[in-house]
Amino acid sequence: DAKTTQPPSMDCAEGRAANLPCNHSTISGNEYVYWYRQIHSQGPQYIIHGLKNNETNEMASLIITEDRKSSTLILPHATLRDTAVYYCIVRVGGGTASKLTFGTGTRLQVTL
Amino acid sequence: NAGVTQTPKFQVLKTGQSMTLQCAQDMNHEYMSWYRQDPGMGLRLIHYSVGAGITDQGEVPNGYNVSRSTTEDFPLRLLSAAPSQTSVYFCASSAGTRDTGELFFGEGSRLTVL
């Protein structure tokens, strides 16, 4: 699975958009980009995933560059409850999802 | 649905003791896995199972045993606990061959080995 690089921490004001970047320059054509988050010490929570098209759901939007070497997770209106560690993961999708490898992620702090 | 249920939530062991962390899911998921998370670090995969009767090692399997006799349950056994196994343990499941990449996690089991 391709390796990902994320900034260790970011701050965002409540109500503003939080844009979390992820570099995955060695991504292969059949690898998906997944985003999870972990609030405090709870179990990680799935947010969104995509292959090459931009994706949006009720939680966030995922923007993948045309060359697929990087992506951005967007939380359109961050709230204090979005304070968490966000993990960007790249792996082959479909089938047994899983053996997902979680790095150290980006710690997002949403402030008043 | 309860989702993924882990027990116990907290446990303190002495070095050399054995114990089993329980994990159960009620979503009929084929795939289950165990991760550990140490302070300031990401999650590391211990063991996983792609279906009943099938298990395999992850990144950090030493010191742990697993079995998968039913679809619902995936217990993690520590045969002789060591202080290095002090960690938070997470169980996760997914739909396996039908999955979309979404892993469902339990709330975690916090283990301290003295």
Side-chain angles (χ1 to χ4, degrees):
Chain A
D1 297 334
K3 184 176 179 178
T4 62
T5 303
Q6 300 178 252
S9 63
M10 294 182 63
D11 293 328
C12 179
E14 189 177 33
R16 305 295 294 268
N19 298 290
L20 292 94
C22 180
N23 285 324
H24 32 79
S25 59
T26 60
I27 192 170
S28 300
N30 61 347
E31 289 182 312
Y32 287 70
V33 180
Y34 294 87
W35 282 86
Y36 281 74
R37 73 180 182 183
Q38 187 174 25
I39 297 173
H40 194 45
S41 53
Q42 299 175 17
Q45 175 191 24
Y46 167 85
I47 301 174
I48 198 168
H49 78 283
L51 182 62
K52 53 184 177 181
N53 297 321
N54 297 338
E55 302 287 345
T56 296
N57 63 21
E58 65 278 5
M59 292 181 66
S61 294
L62 173 61
I63 308 298
I64 303 174
T65 58
E66 190 169 347
D67 63 7
R68 304 209 320 123
K69 293 184 184 299
S70 66
S71 61
T72 301
L73 179 73
I74 301 173
L75 308 178
H77 305 286
T79 70
L80 297 178
R81 287 176 293 181
D82 292 321
T83 293
V85 177
Y86 287 78
Y87 298 99
C88 170
I89 303 162
V90 172
R91 79 166 316 261
V92 175
T96 51
S98 324
K99 284 177 71 176
L100 290 177
T101 300
F102 291 77
T104 53
T106 296
R107 182 172 298 277
L108 175 69
Q109 181 69 50
V110 181
T111 57
L112 292 172
Chain B
N1 285 351
V4 179
T5 303
Q6 292 184 231
T7 56
K9 287 185 170 51
F10 300 93
Q11 182 71 49
V12 178
L13 290 178
K14 294 181 179 179
T15 298
Q17 287 185 316
S18 63
M19 77 156 301
T20 299
L21 298 178
Q22 302 290 345
C23 177
Q25 53 89 11
D26 61 358
M27 297 173 282
N28 199 32
H29 282 171
E30 297 175 19
Y31 180 89
M32 297 186 74
S33 56
W34 277 101
Y35 288 85
R36 63 175 286 174
Q37 185 172 34
D38 300 317
M41 298 182 66
L43 284 78
R44 292 184 292 170
L45 183 65
I46 305 171
H47 285 286
Y48 66 98
S49 168
V50 300
I54 305 169
T55 63
D56 206 345
Q57 296 180 350
E59 180 186 358
V60 288
N62 292 341
Y64 307 95
N65 282 348
V66 292
S67 60
R68 184 92 181 273
S69 56
T70 67
T71 299
E72 294 78 19
D73 301 299
F74 191 45
L76 179 72
R77 297 183 183 86
L78 286 72
L79 297 180
S80 179
S84 61
Q85 294 178 303
T86 293
S87 189
V88 181
Y89 292 84
F90 290 100
C91 179
S93 73
S94 75
T97 55
R98 308 184 309 277
D99 73 50
T100 60
E102 181 174 0
L103 274 178
F104 295 82
F105 282 84
E107 294 184 356
S109 296
R110 285 148 184 81
L111 175 65
T112 300
V113 182
L114 302 175

